[in-house]
Structures are given as structure tokens and as C-alpha cells.
Amino acid sequence: MIQVNIEKCGHCGACVSVCPTNSITLIESCLEIADTCTTCETCVTICPVGALVVS
Amino acid sequence: MKDEYDVVVVGAGPAGAYAAATAASECDVLLIEKRQEIGNPVRCAEGVSKEGLARFLPPQKRWIANNIASARIFSPDGTVLEVSEELAGPEVGYVLERKIFDRDLAKRAAQAGADVAVRTRATGVIRENGFICGVKVRHLGESLEMRAKVVIAADGVESQLARWAGINTTLKPIDLESCAQYLMTNVDLLDDCCDFYLGSEAPGGYAWAFPKGHQIGNIGLGALASKLQSKHPIDYLNAFAERHFPDGQPVELNIGGVPVSNAARKTVADGLMLVGDAARHTDPITGGGIINALEGGRLAGEVAKQAVRVQDPSLKVLKQYEAAWRASFGKKLERNYKIKDIFVNLSDAELNKLIRSLEGLRLEDMSVAGIIKRLISRNPRLLAGVRHLF
Ligand SMILES: Cc1cc2nc3c(=O)[nH]c(=O)nc-3n(C[C@H](O)[C@H](O)[C@H](O)COP(=O)(O)OP(=O)(O)OC[C@H]3O[C@@H](n4cnc5c(N)ncnc54)[C@H](O)[C@@H]3O)c2cc1C
């Protein structure tokens, strides 16, 4: 499962743009990850601040 | 806010606001923005060409932080290439205040008659008989449906609208610059000069220092997402700032993604047009997207009016928009994508060689094409892969 470190996330939406299953939604300062997420980890690598982690 | 409009525009960045302002001269338009503040947080280094902007707006002091007359490009070993466009007059570009600029654009849309709504997020499309005929939204905790003859997706790099409508605009990591930037104070910058730093300090991208006056500037970098492993752009930025601006202190941190892909293969469907970053219209070499966002917004706004006028929002009419942006900046995007593909893989040694080959020259053509043409003529072997593009 992908988890968001809200103390790092800058809510920029870069992760949304690369998500192959369109599972991430940015709502103001909150990232919602839907259960269609396949944990491909693309968002984890590309995040500008490393706010996404696999748990 | 009503529940039915001629045109609903999703996203109040430059593309959406300009599209809304253009369409509102004839149509009933709604511009929605999911954030609570248009223009904030900033996801931009705020550099823009003066000539490009003049095609859309008269300059306003309140959103110009600085006038720019020249640029310097630094190779990894510190060799400097200076570029200044003497023929075009003393001021070739601006560093903007996007927070004010974006709001001014939204104001233009409102003045043209558009309804503007913030804290209003599109969550899906309404589709009937294959046509997109509106959007589902969440507005202050409430679910609503907004029907429209034409929907314009201007929802930026994180666009989901196109994908909900069945157009795949997902970016691959090789086509995304992952960026981090400080608005930094205590930085000594030349007040009329934008600086660019090439090399592995920003792998597959570049670092920049754009002055905003009074020892404040945008100090940032973009790294190609496919080149990121254990480090993130913020780590590269901290190292870069430490090395080049040891006295600098941040007053703001901005992060963001820039599409450096080809344009979306399809930017129209029945009832739908994609504009700006949502259409992947940023320049793949520079990452600049403001001017193409305004241009796409204008063209889509014009075509939306036409579709409403002839009461036909089908692909048949809307495809004029796709033809129009292709004629305007499509060729340049295609060419620059091919060039980007070569440049992101140059080593520090190769970049040093390229910049050194032009050392001492004062380039008067500030365009990227102008600089690359000079580089090719001096380094035909190294740049053999892009020679045929000019
Ligand atoms: C670090 C960085 C530096 C940059 N530097 C420059 C530069 O120096 N010069 C330049 O020209 N360009 C630059 N760019 C690119 C430039 O910022 C973009 O190309 C430009 O903002 C695109 O405009 P847009 O209107 O398409 O999208 P945006 O400005 O991103 O606007 C999209 C809007 O849509 C909203 N939205 C998204 N989803 C929804 C939804 N579901 N419902 C409602 N609203 C939604 C967003 O909140 C946002 O306000 C930079 C980008 C970054 C990240």
C-alpha cells in the first residue's frame, strides 16, 4: 500500500500525472489513493520531495 | 452558479482562465477551480517571454516582478555562455508574480461575464450518447452536476478529466520533470538576467535562478523523473542551493511536475477539449508552458463559441481546435521533444564540451532554436542526432 507523509507532501499533483491507474486524486493539501492502486511505486520514485512510501 | 452552461471550464490556471474569458464574450461560461485560492501555491519559475505574453495581455506592473534582458547558461565545469537579444530591445522577458497574474486572468474571465467558482472540484464527466455533456463536481462538501454543451479540461499537469473521458494522458517518468524550487532571499543575482545550470546537479533537466528583485529569486531545478533513484529533487535542490547560494534563505518552497512529453495524441472528443498542461502543451526543452497555455486557451475558447453558435459540439466542429494548435505550436513541440530526448542523456563532459565550443561568443538570438543551431554547427558529431531537425 502507498502511504503519504503529510509532513512532506507539497500537494503538487506530479504523482497524479504518472499514475497508470488514475488512482490518485489531489484535494487541496490531501492526497487520496483509491483502492485501484496496484502499488507500482511510480509515484514513490517521481515525487519531488519523497512524500510517498510503500508500507 | 447555475447547473447548466454553454461552456464549463475545469481549472483556473492560465489555460482555463484565458479559455473562459474568450468564450464568455458570446457564451454562458462557468470556470471552476478546486483550490480555495486561485494561483496559490505557485508551481512555476515564473519566466516568460515579453513578446509571447504581449500577444495575449497588456503588461501590468502588479504582476511583473522583474524585467529580463539576458540569460547565462552555465556548464557543469562553470563555463558561461551569455545570451542577450540586443536586436529585440532591452527587455526580452519578465519574471512574473504568478499569484497575482493568475488572479488577474480569472478576473478577466469574470469581467467578460463568466461565473467563477473556487473550492469546486470536478470528480467525473457526464457522458450521454458518447458525448461529454458536463462534469460532476464537489463544491464545499456537496455533490452537484454541471451540464454543458462544451467542457474544456484545463486541469493542469494532474489532469484527470481527459482520462475520465477515455483519453489516456498518463505521463511516463521519461516524460516528466520533477521539480523543486525555493523562493529565496539573500541571493545575489544580476537583476536583469536569468541563469540556467546544466549537468548532473539536475540530472536530465536543469537548475535555474530567476531574479525577482531586492535579492529575492526563484532558485529551483527539475530532474527527469526516470533518472531519479534514491534522491529526490528536493535533495538535489538543497545541494545546489548550498553550493551556489550559501547565504540564501528560503521564504517559500514550491514543488511540481512539468510534462516534457509529446502533446496528448488526442486533444478533442465529442463535447470536450484539452488545453494547457492537461493537453501536455509545455515545451519539452525549457519546460515553459504559460504561453502555450494562453494560446491553447484562446483557440479552444474561440472554437467553443463556434460550436455553441452552430449548436454542434461534436468532434467535427471541435477538431478545428486541434488543427489550430497544431498549426500554431505543434511543429515546435514535436521538434523540441526529439531534441530533449538527446539532451537529457548528455554527460557532464559532453555538456562542458558543448558550452565551451561557444565560449567567448555573445549570442544575440536568445531562442532555444537559435542556441541549438549554433551548438550544432560547432559540434556536428556530438549533436548528429538532431541535425536533421533544422
Ligand atoms: C517548478 C515549475 C517551474 C515552471 N516554470 C515555468 C516558467 O518559468 N515559465 C513557464 O512558462 N512555465 C513554467 N512552468 C510551467 C507552467 O507553470 C505551466 O505550464 C502552466 O501553469 C500551465 O497552465 P495550465 O493553466 O495549463 O495549468 P495550471 O496552471 O496547473 O492550472 C490548472 C488548474 O486546474 C486546477 N484543477 C486541477 N484539477 C481540477 C479539478 N478536478 N477540478 C477543478 N480544478 C482542478 C488546479 O488546481 C490548477 O489551479 C513551470 C512549472 C513548474 C512545476
Side-chain angles (χ1 to χ4, degrees):
Chain A
M1 220 174 71
I2 303 291
Q3 270 187 338
V4 189
N5 182 340
I6 56 164
E7 291 179 332
K8 283 189 176 181
C9 175
H11 16 101
C12 73
C15 52
V16 181
S17 74
V18 296
C19 177
T21 52
N22 200 7
S23 299
I24 313 179
T25 301
L26 170 67
I27 309 167
E28 285 286 339
S29 52
C30 181
L31 275 186
E32 259 183 23
I33 302 180
D35 54 15
T36 44
C37 167
T38 60
T39 324
C40 72
E41 297 184 35
T42 311
C43 57
V44 176
T45 341
I46 70 90
C47 174
V49 291
L52 295 152
V53 286
V54 192
S55 67
Chain B
M1 200 160 54
K2 301 177 291 189
D3 54 11
E4 198 168 345
Y5 287 86
D6 291 328
V7 182
V8 169
V9 182
V10 178
Y18 211 90
T22 307
S25 68
E26 269 179 42
C27 306
D28 226 10
V29 177
L30 172 66
L31 172 64
I32 65 169
E33 169 56 51
K34 71 178 173 184
R35 301 181 187 182
Q36 65 185 18
E37 282 182 42
I38 288 173
N40 196 26
V42 170
R43 296 190 299 215
C44 191
E46 306 177 296
V48 76
S49 101
K50 189 178 170 187
E51 190 194 350
L53 199 58
R55 302 192 339 248
F56 303 95
L57 293 166
Q60 300 288 338
K61 273 212 179 85
R62 60 181 177 273
W63 42 248
I64 296 171
N66 223 342
N67 285 290
I68 299 299
S70 61
R72 294 186 300 184
I73 303 172
F74 293 84
S75 70
D77 67 3
T79 309
V80 192
L81 175 63
E82 281 186 46
V83 216
S84 66
E85 198 144 325
E86 270 142 33
L87 302 173
E91 299 162 0
V92 295
Y94 301 121
V95 180
L96 297 173
E97 283 298 347
R98 277 287 300 268
K99 280 177 200 165
I100 304 173
F101 180 74
D102 283 24
R103 280 174 200 208
D104 241 31
L105 287 172
K107 181 174 134 196
R108 283 182 77 254
Q111 283 173 336
D115 284 351
V116 183
V118 292
R119 268 273 157 130
T120 307
R121 176 171 58 94
T123 58
V125 292
I126 306 172
R127 194 199 302 259
E128 275 165 21
N129 306 320
F131 273 71
I132 304 302
C133 46
V135 286
K136 297 174 186 156
V137 307
R138 291 283 294 168
H139 170 68
L140 291 170
E142 229 185 310
S143 292
L144 305 170
E145 294 206 342
M146 300 289 168
R147 297 189 69 87
K149 299 185 180 93
V150 178
V151 173
I152 298 179
D155 46 346
V157 66
E158 80 258 43
S159 175
Q160 292 188 281
L161 212 76
R163 288 186 276 176
W164 290 325
I167 303 175
N168 188 0
T169 56
T170 311
L171 292 170
K172 297 194 197 83
I174 52 162
D175 287 335
L176 177 80
E177 292 287 337
S178 179
C179 308
Q181 166 180 282
Y182 288 123
L183 177 63
M184 239 182 189
T185 184
N186 265 9
V187 285
D188 261 327
L189 298 167
L190 296 178
D191 250 353
D192 61 352
C193 178
C194 281
D195 288 340
F196 299 84
Y197 297 79
L198 308 180
S200 51
E201 280 186 300
Y206 64 86
W208 61 82
F210 291 179
K212 296 188 80 172
H214 313 285
Q215 293 200 304
I216 291 190
N218 286 328
I219 312 293
L221 56 78
L224 198 67
S226 58
K227 296 199 183 273
L228 296 171
Q229 281 162 355
S230 52
K231 286 208 289 183
H232 296 276
I234 185 81
D235 306 316
Y236 287 103
L237 175 62
N238 286 333
F240 175 80
E242 179 83 12
R243 178 165 168 218
H244 297 272
F245 302 98
D247 297 330
Q249 300 295 334
V251 290
E252 203 173 299
L253 169 64
N254 309 123
I255 62 172
V258 181
V260 287
S261 59
N262 274 309
R265 205 167 297 147
K266 223 175 116 184
T267 57
V268 283
D270 289 319
L272 178 73
M273 291 183 270
L274 319 183
V275 296
D277 279 15
R280 311 318 189 195
H281 278 170
T282 28
D283 185 295
I285 297 181
T286 63
I290 299 169
I291 300 297
N292 286 354
L294 294 170
E295 172 80 346
R298 166 155 72 194
L299 296 171
E302 291 294 343
V303 172
K305 281 195 283 197
Q306 164 82 1
V308 172
R309 222 180 285 139
V310 301
Q311 298 183 9
D312 181 6
S314 73
L315 194 58
K316 210 173 84 208
V317 173
L318 300 190
K319 72 178 184 203
Q320 291 174 44
Y321 160 66
E322 186 153 305
W325 72 254
R326 282 193 192 283
S328 167
F329 53 77
K331 283 253 153 43
K332 191 170 162 197
L333 290 183
E334 269 175 42
R335 181 196 70 193
N336 288 2
Y337 183 75
K338 291 179 189 142
I339 298 172
K340 168 217 127 182
D341 237 17
I342 305 269
F343 270 78
V344 294
N345 291 317
L346 293 174
S347 66
D348 281 3
E350 287 168 326
L351 288 166
N352 288 333
K353 183 166 177 283
L354 285 183
I355 299 301
R356 262 193 243 128
S357 77
L358 300 186
E359 206 182 356
L361 283 184
R362 205 175 163 80
L363 295 192
E364 291 186 356
D365 182 351
M366 256 182 91
S367 72
V368 171
I371 298 169
I372 291 174
K373 271 192 242 171
R374 294 296 284 269
L375 287 172
I376 294 173
S377 75
R378 300 222 165 181
N379 305 272
R381 290 248 302 279
L382 188 51
L383 297 179
V386 296
R387 256 163 87 184
H388 67 285
L389 299 169
F390 290 91

